[in-house]
Amino acid sequence: MSDSLPSLRELLATAVEAVGGAERPGQVEMAEAVHSSIRTGDHLAVQAGTGTGKSLAYLVPAIRHAVANGKSVVISTATIALQRQLVDRDLPRLAKALTKSLKRTPTFAILKGRRNYLCLHRLDGPQEEPDDQVLFDPFAVSRLGREVGRLRDWASDTEVGDRDELVPGVSEQAWRQVSVSARECLGVSRCPIGTDCFAEKARAEAGKSDVVVTNHALLAIDALGTAQVLPEHDVVIIDEAHDLVDRVTSVATGELSATAIAIAARRSGKLVTDEVADRLVEAGEGLAMLLSEAPAGRLDDLPEPVAVTLQAIRDAAHGCVTSIGPDRKEDPEASTARKLALSALEEVHDTAVRILDAFGSEDAKLRDVVWVSGDINAAGPRPVTLRVAPLGVAGLLRERLFGENTTVLTSATLTLGGTFDALAKQWGLPGKQRVGVKAEGTATDKEPSDDIRWTGMDVGSPFDHPRSGILYTARHLPPPGRDGLPPAYLEELRELVTAAGGRTLGLFSSMRAAKQATAELRDKVDVDILCQGDDSTALLVKKFAENPQTCLFGTLSLWQGVDVPGPSLTLVVMDRIPFPRPDDPLASARQRAVESRGGNGFLTVAATHAALLLAQGAGRLLRSMDDKGVVAVLDPRLATARYGGFLRASLPPFWPTTDPEVVRAALRRLAAAS
């Protein structure tokens, strides 16, 4: 059927005309590369700058392939904002525009993990007793009751049961009362409300759609699990691919806390004898006592008392599972209680086993990293927790993603230090790529999966970066310290903000630094300063965009999630190079593992992490063709350190300077012209 369809260029031209745009060289180049990748089966990594029109560049060849072959194409994103853009705006317009050319209307659906959908059976069943932190707080209990009541009212109105459609939302505690994970689900055949299940309806809709929009987390769940979660497909397109490794790592991270053990014991209490349940309770209390005295941070060795306690938890959880016994044909309410208990017990058991197995190997052979997180004395529900995460996910992605589907990875930020090498290695792709060169990746003798072939290409950006933006490095400032922002940094920031007349997005390496800058500058500048945490991030960004004489200061989510085109944003300031904290358990373990194999752990892990965030932060400046401005990095190491060249090569090619007077004059001119 493919031969009878219009060519890719014809469909792309139709699509661009329908959305009122104009074809761009980078968009055409990317669309043709995606089309070629789908035809040949070779994987593709495409860096496409903001304004390229990359969504159309991958959607058009994806839709053409799906219609021609009768198979779904999966599109995975990292953020809800992009999912909504695709499902609510891009795909409806595309489907309408391409109907005549394709002789039928392309179909699409959004699919999320089961926990994101309301479970009608759970809603109608007995409510689970809240955990201890809520149980002993009458205000929390009252709020929980009100929220569950809202969910019951909403259940009669919603057609899809998607948590994201509930506005305003509810707490995680309330949502867990009316939802189930895949482990907790009875299954459509056994559930008395299975035919009306929102999650099953979403899966059925996805199964018959040409394009299925999902998220990196569900993509990871599909890759990690034994059962297929996503519908049958042969092509995966990963947008926001710079975030893939972190999202997959997050899904593959296990947690074990006294609270989780108590929940598992409570769920199994009515299904096993008191003696069996009490063993798990006692083991959990023992872990709580040990963790209360443990400092936060990575565990290089497992203390003997912790190991013994984990073994007791493992054995007690297994004892509960054995005591519950095999599945029986029982009434749905009993089946639900059994399923909930087994899910919690198996998670506790499996995580304890995984933590115990993480020790005893040399650094170069480590598979998992274990650390203690949380603060038992901290305000709010943050129980001390043992966490275990994979040292890397390259092997998983190589086998379960690249080994089974044709995969396209795209983002505005994929080349770090000028090449795809850093991210390709994290993804599990073999070989090296040179920017702009369409050459197949080839494996070395040391790399597995040498049958994996891939192409890396940078289709550029429609922006004229040297004419539209300045990269200013404050070389004259002292190196950043550990005790907050030095006075010289605050004075430099004040002068920049004053010259810009507001219009500043301040991206800080910590919330402490963001709050310090906000407190210091509010009395020294004649513009409003908004700080992340003062209100919802979405509302703060809206206020910032609507009033040019405003600054917005914040941390990580602003580095990647702000899209403010126009004169409201002419200055992006980054206080320091965003290296991971030295005590970050996962980053430090990965760095040490690289060094144990003879590599450069700092460049491979810390500098790559920093380069990615710097590029994402700098990408906040130019969001439309008329935008102009300055990216200012207060950290002088960008200009003076040996690794500075690698970091600068990861940034857009702005005109560089270290002269503060030149920058302030440029900002004053932009402010006067606005």
Side-chain angles (χ1 to χ4, degrees):
M1 183 177 175
S2 179
D3 295 339
S4 65
L5 295 177
S7 69
L8 173 71
R9 291 296 297 272
E10 290 177 273
L11 292 176
L12 183 61
T14 300
V16 170
E17 182 181 0
V19 300
E23 277 191 355
R24 299 162 187 162
Q27 184 183 58
V28 174
E29 185 181 6
M30 177 176 171
E32 290 178 339
V34 173
H35 180 58
S36 174
S37 174
I38 291 173
R39 282 191 301 105
T40 63
D42 290 356
H43 307 298
L44 174 69
V46 188
Q47 177 164 285
T50 303
T52 304
K54 63 181 169 66
S55 295
L56 279 187
Y58 64 68
L59 286 174
V60 172
I63 289 173
R64 189 182 189 279
H65 171 74
V67 171
N69 295 277
K71 286 188 176 181
S72 298
V73 172
V74 170
I75 296 175
S76 179
T77 74
T79 61
I80 293 174
L82 182 54
Q83 285 180 46
R84 295 259 63 99
Q85 176 190 314
L86 292 173
V87 173
D88 295 341
R89 191 188 73 182
D90 294 348
L91 282 166
R93 292 197 294 183
L94 259 184
K96 182 178 179 181
L98 299 181
T99 293
K100 183 177 179 181
S101 300
L102 297 175
K103 298 182 175 58
R104 75 167 176 85
T105 302
T107 56
F108 56 91
I110 188 168
L111 184 62
K112 304 176 183 179
R114 189 173 291 274
R115 181 66 84 179
N116 291 277
Y117 298 98
L118 182 76
C119 174
L120 293 171
H121 178 52
R122 188 81 188 275
L123 186 71
D124 289 340
Q127 295 301 300
E128 185 175 3
E129 189 175 312
D131 63 44
D132 293 344
Q133 289 169 326
V134 173
L135 196 59
F136 295 113
D137 183 344
F139 295 104
V141 171
S142 176
R143 188 190 71 227
L144 180 62
R146 290 195 303 272
E147 288 182 331
V148 172
R150 273 190 59 219
L151 288 166
R152 290 183 183 280
D153 294 339
W154 176 65
S156 61
D157 298 328
T158 180
E159 294 183 0
V160 293
D162 185 339
R163 182 180 182 178
D164 289 332
E165 294 197 353
L166 180 65
V167 179
V170 296
S171 66
E172 182 66 19
Q173 181 75 34
W175 185 254
R176 284 187 175 273
Q177 296 282 318
V178 298
S179 65
V180 294
S181 65
R183 263 184 168 179
E184 294 167 342
C185 179
L186 285 177
V188 65
S189 60
R190 297 195 60 191
C191 179
I193 317 180
T195 54
D196 296 320
C197 175
F198 290 124
E200 290 298 328
K201 285 181 178 179
R203 287 192 66 190
E205 186 68 21
K208 60 185 182 184
S209 298
D210 296 314
V211 174
V212 179
V213 179
T214 188
N215 53 56
H216 295 352
L218 191 62
L219 190 70
I221 291 169
D222 190 68
L224 286 164
T226 53
Q228 187 174 4
V229 177
L230 295 170
E232 194 71 35
H233 61 279
D234 59 352
V235 174
V236 176
I237 297 173
I238 299 173
D239 203 341
E240 302 174 309
H242 62 274
D243 220 8
L244 179 64
V245 169
D246 283 347
R247 299 295 174 122
V248 174
T249 301
S250 180
V251 170
T253 298
E255 298 183 358
L256 188 63
S257 68
T259 301
I261 296 167
I263 290 172
R266 187 162 62 235
R267 286 183 178 182
S268 57
K270 295 180 181 179
L271 304 172
V272 301
T273 65
D274 290 345
E275 182 184 0
V276 172
D278 286 347
R279 281 202 292 269
L280 183 58
V281 172
E282 290 168 6
E285 290 172 348
L287 182 68
M289 188 180 302
L290 290 171
L291 293 184
S292 69
E293 301 171 354
R298 192 182 71 225
L299 293 179
D300 293 327
D301 299 294
L302 192 61
E304 184 64 22
V306 177
V308 171
T309 303
L310 286 171
Q311 291 165 1
I313 291 168
R314 176 198 63 194
D315 295 344
H318 179 71
C320 287
V321 171
T322 303
S323 185
I324 290 174
D327 194 9
R328 297 179 295 274
K329 290 186 177 180
E330 49 205 359
D331 66 89
E333 187 173 315
S335 291
T336 300
R338 181 181 183 281
K339 193 76 172 178
L340 290 172
L342 287 175
S343 170
L345 290 167
E346 287 166 359
E347 191 164 339
V348 165
H349 174 272
D350 294 350
T351 306
V353 169
R354 187 175 166 193
I355 293 172
L356 287 166
D357 289 347
F359 296 90
S361 300
E362 299 173 2
D363 287 345
K365 296 179 181 178
L366 278 177
R367 293 179 58 189
D368 280 325
V369 184
V370 179
W371 70 97
V372 178
S373 71
D375 183 355
I376 201 163
N377 298 312
R382 294 177 57 195
V384 181
T385 302
L386 275 176
R387 286 187 165 85
V388 54
L391 196 60
V393 296
L396 169 71
L397 294 175
R398 184 166 53 236
E399 178 184 351
R400 301 302 299 272
L401 183 63
F402 301 114
E404 297 182 1
N405 310 283
T406 301
T407 305
V408 175
L409 306 109
T410 186
S411 170
T413 310
L414 291 184
T415 60
L416 303 178
T419 76
F420 288 93
D421 296 356
L423 286 181
K425 185 173 292 186
Q426 292 182 17
W427 295 329
L429 287 173
K432 295 184 177 182
Q433 285 288 305
R434 296 188 304 276
V435 174
V437 177
K438 300 180 186 178
E440 292 174 354
T442 54
T444 67
D445 292 339
K446 295 181 181 179
E447 293 169 323
S449 301
D450 57 2
D451 57 331
I452 291 179
R453 307 197 317 171
W454 67 284
T455 298
M457 63 186 301
D458 182 355
V459 299
S461 166
F463 299 139
D464 188 345
H465 285 95
R467 290 180 179 272
S468 299
I470 296 173
L471 173 64
Y472 166 54
T473 306
R475 183 172 184 148
H476 62 283
L477 293 180
R482 295 184 178 180
D483 300 322
L485 295 171
Y489 279 50
L490 293 166
E491 177 60 20
E492 184 80 21
L493 181 58
R494 184 195 66 78
E495 291 178 347
L496 289 169
V497 167
T498 301
R503 302 175 175 85
T504 301
L505 177 65
L507 303 176
F508 294 87
S509 53
S510 70
M511 184 54 75
R512 176 187 174 192
K515 288 182 176 179
Q516 180 190 0
T518 300
E520 293 276 355
L521 264 66
R522 272 181 173 158
D523 296 331
K524 297 179 181 179
V525 295
D526 295 327
V527 296
D528 291 333
I529 299 181
L530 308 172
C531 186
Q532 190 175 9
D534 290 347
D535 208 326
S536 73
T537 300
L539 188 58
L540 290 173
V541 172
K542 184 173 184 290
K543 289 180 180 178
F544 174 60
E546 289 174 348
N547 184 3
Q549 291 185 318
T550 304
C551 301
L552 175 58
F553 292 174
T555 56
L556 190 59
S557 61
L558 298 186
W559 287 69
Q560 303 183 74
V562 174
D563 186 4
V564 180
S568 290
L569 175 52
T570 58
L571 172 62
V572 175
V573 179
M574 293 180 260
D575 68 326
R576 64 190 297 159
I577 298 170
F579 293 118
R581 289 168 53 97
D583 59 355
D584 180 284
L586 197 50
S588 59
R590 287 172 170 170
Q591 190 166 322
R592 193 173 65 174
V594 171
E595 291 165 354
S596 71
R597 295 192 294 268
N600 186 322
F602 173 77
L603 275 179
T604 302
V605 179
T608 294
H609 172 93
L612 187 57
L613 278 180
L614 277 175
Q616 286 288 305
R620 301 309 98 200
L621 182 66
L622 303 183
R623 309 303 294 178
S624 70
M625 296 303 293
D626 296 327
D627 288 351
K628 294 181 183 298
V630 172
V631 171
V633 181
L634 305 184
D635 190 335
R637 295 175 296 177
L638 185 64
T640 60
R642 291 178 61 186
Y643 51 77
F646 171 80
L647 299 177
R648 294 193 301 274
S650 306
L651 296 172
F654 296 120
W655 184 76
T657 185
T658 58
D659 189 334
E661 275 303 321
V662 168
V663 170
R664 289 196 286 265
L667 289 171
R668 285 191 287 266
R669 287 194 299 272
L670 286 173
S674 297

